[in-house]
Amino acid sequence: STMVNRRRISTMDWLYRLSAPLQKKAWRNAANERPTTTHWPGWEKVRRIGIVFDSRAEEGYLESMRQVVSALQAQQRSVNLIGWTGEMRPKNALYSGRQLIFTDDFAWNGGVQGGNALEFMQSEFDLVVALHRSEDSPIDYLVARTPAGLRVSLTGANDFYDVRYHSADRLPMDYFRALSAWLAKIPPR
């Protein structure tokens, strides 16, 4: 039985090593996407906000993310928050209230196959904000395939994001405070 389990694990590792470059290639190509854009109601009327970030971020970051969600909910806005883990979903683990995405939420070719990633992508948002971007994560891939009125990125090239709002603010709460003042200047379309 131990030998069978060892063989199964090594087969899974081998498959993962084989598929990882294909996934990353698909995720890198997301910058060339022409995403589905919906109505931008203007900041005052934004009700549905999606926020994508790298959950491996530094200490204090997650607590600041909770403050952002609380502040936006206090303004009667609905927030869907998902964090990329870069890991396989741990077996026998429950994630109540935590919106995490794992490598096994994606197929061998980089496509979404389930979990919170699929749920996020099937939602429609007035605003989607990507707080992190990297070529080895599916964040751009998800944002490109999620219907949204406006897409905001902290950094990046001139690609499918509508706005790149860079701020020196390290913590999300400070960033969102500055970003919301700026978004208020963008007229509805």
Side-chain angles (χ1 to χ4, degrees):
S1 164
T2 308
M3 188 60 163
V4 171
N5 286 341
R6 197 172 293 139
R7 189 175 305 130
R8 187 176 297 134
I9 290 169
S10 66
T11 303
M12 292 305 290
D13 288 345
W14 178 79
L15 286 171
Y16 178 71
R17 280 197 297 272
L18 193 65
S19 67
L22 296 170
Q23 286 179 328
K24 289 177 180 147
K25 182 178 186 217
W27 298 341
R28 271 192 306 273
N29 289 339
N32 302 323
E33 295 284 324
R34 289 294 152 247
T36 304
T37 300
T38 60
H39 170 73
W40 165 247
W43 178 244
E44 286 301 312
K45 294 183 179 165
V46 164
R47 291 294 161 249
R48 297 167 320 220
I49 301 172
I51 302 172
V52 191
F53 68 103
D54 191 323
S55 68
R56 301 169 291 184
E58 66 271 11
E59 190 82 21
Y61 199 87
L62 291 176
E63 184 53 42
S64 185
M65 285 301 307
R66 288 185 193 96
Q67 293 171 1
V68 168
V69 171
S70 295
L72 291 170
Q73 287 173 339
Q75 298 169 12
Q76 309 306 309
R77 301 176 201 265
S78 166
V79 181
N80 192 333
L81 183 67
I82 59 172
W84 168 243
T85 63
E87 300 170 1
M88 295 287 278
R89 183 180 309 277
K91 302 298 178 226
N92 307 323
L94 292 174
Y95 289 95
S96 58
R98 285 197 188 162
Q99 299 297 318
L100 298 173
I101 49 177
F102 299 89
T103 56
D104 45 332
D105 290 345
F106 297 88
W108 64 270
N109 63 355
V112 174
Q113 66 181 11
N116 292 326
L118 183 61
E119 191 180 314
F120 188 87
M121 218 173 71
Q122 291 174 338
S123 302
E124 189 176 293
F125 297 100
D126 297 323
L127 173 69
V128 173
V129 180
L131 293 175
H132 299 100
R133 295 178 73 183
S134 71
E135 290 190 350
D136 68 339
S137 90
I139 290 175
D140 285 347
Y141 183 91
L142 280 174
V143 174
R145 286 175 168 69
T146 301
L150 198 69
R151 289 173 184 80
V152 176
S153 165
L154 186 64
T155 60
N158 188 11
D159 49 25
F160 67 86
Y161 285 91
D162 302 297
V163 175
R164 274 157 308 287
Y165 183 79
H166 178 72
S167 168
D169 296 316
R170 191 180 67 76
L171 291 175
M173 192 63 208
D174 301 327
Y175 176 76
F176 270 89
R177 200 171 285 123
L179 176 63
S180 59
W182 199 83
L183 289 173
K185 299 173 185 175
I186 300 174
R189 58 172 162 88

